[in-house]
């Protein structure tokens, strides 16, 4: 097996299963030569050997192994199949960020994710490009069920196939000890910021709380969420302010103090930078919209 390579995929939005099947080749056959397929190809080798190249890198995929081909890359056979060969293949589409490297690389979300109502310590799926399947029988069973669901005439078969495909990705995902530690620390930082968002929090505060240098804490949160602690805290506070402006009769000064701002003018400035409206404009505009929506339902 060649030098290990890993594919890091942003999971917001989630990868989408497109189609799949079981490919059979006989001695002398070649894998199709193509370079314009827009999907990832996840392969589970069942029998025989597949001699396949991707951008001049040669691989031999054997029974019990999984392999991933990248979208919009050149795929072709570097040697004809020498025996009856078969494997399951699944095409899936990724609209977010991804890259292939020799190490695991955290990927940020391709869409803006609220911090107030969304909690996940990591948004990256890691796949080994070429590896042994840990539970081949279970993967085969799940894959065949995906095909069965996706071809069902009932409309909910599509959703069942998508749900099961995510289960397959979870089954084959990779997570190193180092990444696990980073993910756990990121989750702890996020939870601390959520629980203490109304307090004064500095890099020194976090360093004393978690016993790491501030720069390491900043890198950890940035790598897993795309935000520094300061950015995460500000976004969370602005989302909390937005909720209170719409759902309570609290004065702006009361809201500012409740979410950790001592200066109402600074709060208003930050809120306008975040939403494009002052707190009062935001409350008025959204109150009118909500009222109009309710009247439209009458």
């Amino acid at each position: 097996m060649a030098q290990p390579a890993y594919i890091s995929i942003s999971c917001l939005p989630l990868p989408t299963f497109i189609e799949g099947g079981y490919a059979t080749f006989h001695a002398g056959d070649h894998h199709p030569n193509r370079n314009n397929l827009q999907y990832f190809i996840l392969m589970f080798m069942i029998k025989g050997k597949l001699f396949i190249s991707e951008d001049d890198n040669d691989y031999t995929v054997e029974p019990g192994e999984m392999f991933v081909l990248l979208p919009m890359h050149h795929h072709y056979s570097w040697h004809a199949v020498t025996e009856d060969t078969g494997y399951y293949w699944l095409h899936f589409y990724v609209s977010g960020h991804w890259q292939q490297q020799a190490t695991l690389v955290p990927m940020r979300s391709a869409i803006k994710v609220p911090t107030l109502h969304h909690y996940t310590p990591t948004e990256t799926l890691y796949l080994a490009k070429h590896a042994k399947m840990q539970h081949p029988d279970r993967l085969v069973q799940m894959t065949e069920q995906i095909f069965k669901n996706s071809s069902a005439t009932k409309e909910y078969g599509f959703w069942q196939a998508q749900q099961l495909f995510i289960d397959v990705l979870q089954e084959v995902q990779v997570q190193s000890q180092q990444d696990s530690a980073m993910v756990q620390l990121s989750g702890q930082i996020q939870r601390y910021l959520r629980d203490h968002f109304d307090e004064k929090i500095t890099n020194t505060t976090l360093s004393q709380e978690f016993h790491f240098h501030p720069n390491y804490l900043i890198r950890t949160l940035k790598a897993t969420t795309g935000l520094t602690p300061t950015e995460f805290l500000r976004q969370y506070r602005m989302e909390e302010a937005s909720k209170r402006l719409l759902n309570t009769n609290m004065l702006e000064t009361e809201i500012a103090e409740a979410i950790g701002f001592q200066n109402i003018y600074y709060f208003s400035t930050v809120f306008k930078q975040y939403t494009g409206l002052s707190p009062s404009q935001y409350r008025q505009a959204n109150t009118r919209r909500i009222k109009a929506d309710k009247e439209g339902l009458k």
Side-chain angles (χ1 to χ4, degrees):
M1 204 174 286
Q3 182 180 355
Y6 301 96
I7 302 165
S8 304
I9 300 174
S10 171
C11 284
L12 288 172
L14 286 169
T16 303
F17 169 70
I18 303 299
E19 62 177 346
Y22 185 81
T24 300
F25 295 89
H26 304 291
D29 290 344
H30 290 263
H31 184 274
N33 185 331
R34 55 194 175 193
N35 57 18
N36 58 355
L37 189 68
Q38 60 182 324
Y39 309 123
F40 283 91
I41 307 176
L42 175 59
M43 306 161 67
F44 299 134
M45 203 71 187
I46 303 303
K47 63 178 182 178
K49 293 183 181 180
L50 186 66
F51 307 98
I52 191 164
S53 292
E54 181 178 73
D55 299 336
D56 297 328
N57 294 309
D58 299 339
Y59 302 89
T60 300
V61 189
E62 302 189 11
E65 295 180 348
M66 60 167 280
F67 189 73
V68 182
L69 289 169
L70 305 177
M72 306 304 290
H73 283 247
H74 190 194
H75 312 141
Y76 56 96
S77 290
W78 64 266
H79 192 284
V81 169
T82 58
E83 58 186 307
D84 286 349
T85 297
Y87 61 86
Y88 291 96
W89 56 271
L90 300 97
H91 287 179
F92 66 95
Y93 181 76
V94 170
S95 58
H97 309 298
W98 63 268
Q99 60 177 279
Q100 179 174 295
Q101 297 285 346
T103 58
L104 308 183
V105 181
M107 306 297 293
R108 69 182 59 183
S109 169
I111 57 178
K112 184 177 181 180
V113 180
T115 58
L116 187 60
H117 303 293
H118 173 85
Y119 176 73
T120 180
T122 184
E123 298 160 357
T124 306
L125 168 72
Y126 300 112
L127 298 176
K129 184 170 189 66
H130 188 190
K132 286 281 188 183
M133 290 186 281
Q134 297 301 313
H135 305 286
D137 292 341
R138 186 160 63 199
L139 282 172
V140 167
Q141 183 180 10
M142 295 168 70
T143 299
E144 290 181 342
Q145 188 62 47
I146 289 175
F147 298 161
K148 182 179 179 180
N149 290 343
S150 65
S151 61
T153 55
K154 296 180 179 179
E155 60 182 22
Y156 58 78
F158 168 81
W159 302 107
Q160 291 176 328
Q162 297 300 326
Q163 292 169 349
L164 194 53
F165 175 66
I166 297 302
D167 291 340
V168 167
L169 293 180
Q170 288 181 308
E171 183 78 16
V172 300
Q173 70 176 330
V174 174
Q175 193 172 58
S176 69
Q177 291 182 351
Q178 179 182 358
D179 183 66
S180 296
M182 175 181 285
V183 167
Q184 290 175 10
L185 179 57
S186 174
Q188 292 169 2
I189 297 171
Q190 292 178 54
R191 179 54 59 194
Y192 181 85
L193 293 174
R194 293 168 188 272
D195 291 344
H196 300 272
F197 74 92
D198 56 343
E199 304 172 13
K200 182 179 180 180
I201 300 176
T202 65
N203 289 335
T204 301
T205 306
L206 295 177
S207 181
Q208 292 172 345
E209 176 68 23
F210 294 102
H211 309 292
F212 285 106
H213 192 280
N215 290 344
Y216 180 72
L217 297 174
I218 292 170
R219 288 199 304 271
T220 295
L221 195 64
K222 183 78 172 180
T224 53
T225 69
L227 301 171
T228 67
T230 300
E231 292 167 341
F232 186 97
L233 183 61
R234 177 172 294 185
Q235 180 172 320
Y236 190 88
R237 283 173 168 169
M238 293 302 99
E239 290 169 1
E240 184 66 34
S242 300
K243 183 182 73 172
R244 298 189 187 204
L245 284 167
L246 298 183
N247 299 319
T248 74
N249 293 320
M250 294 175 66
L251 299 175
E252 292 176 27
T253 52
E254 295 174 329
I255 294 175
E257 184 176 356
I259 65 172
F261 284 83
Q262 301 303 316
N263 188 311
I264 180 61
Y265 300 106
Y266 182 55
F267 163 66
S268 298
T269 299
V270 173
F271 189 87
K272 189 168 185 178
Q273 290 174 344
Y274 182 76
T275 66
L277 300 172
S278 69
S280 58
Q281 291 172 332
Y282 183 88
R283 174 175 266 170
Q284 292 171 2
N286 284 278
T287 299
R288 287 196 298 267
R289 178 183 59 78
I290 293 172
K291 182 179 180 180
D293 290 343
K294 288 181 178 179
E295 292 178 348
L297 294 175
K298 293 180 180 180

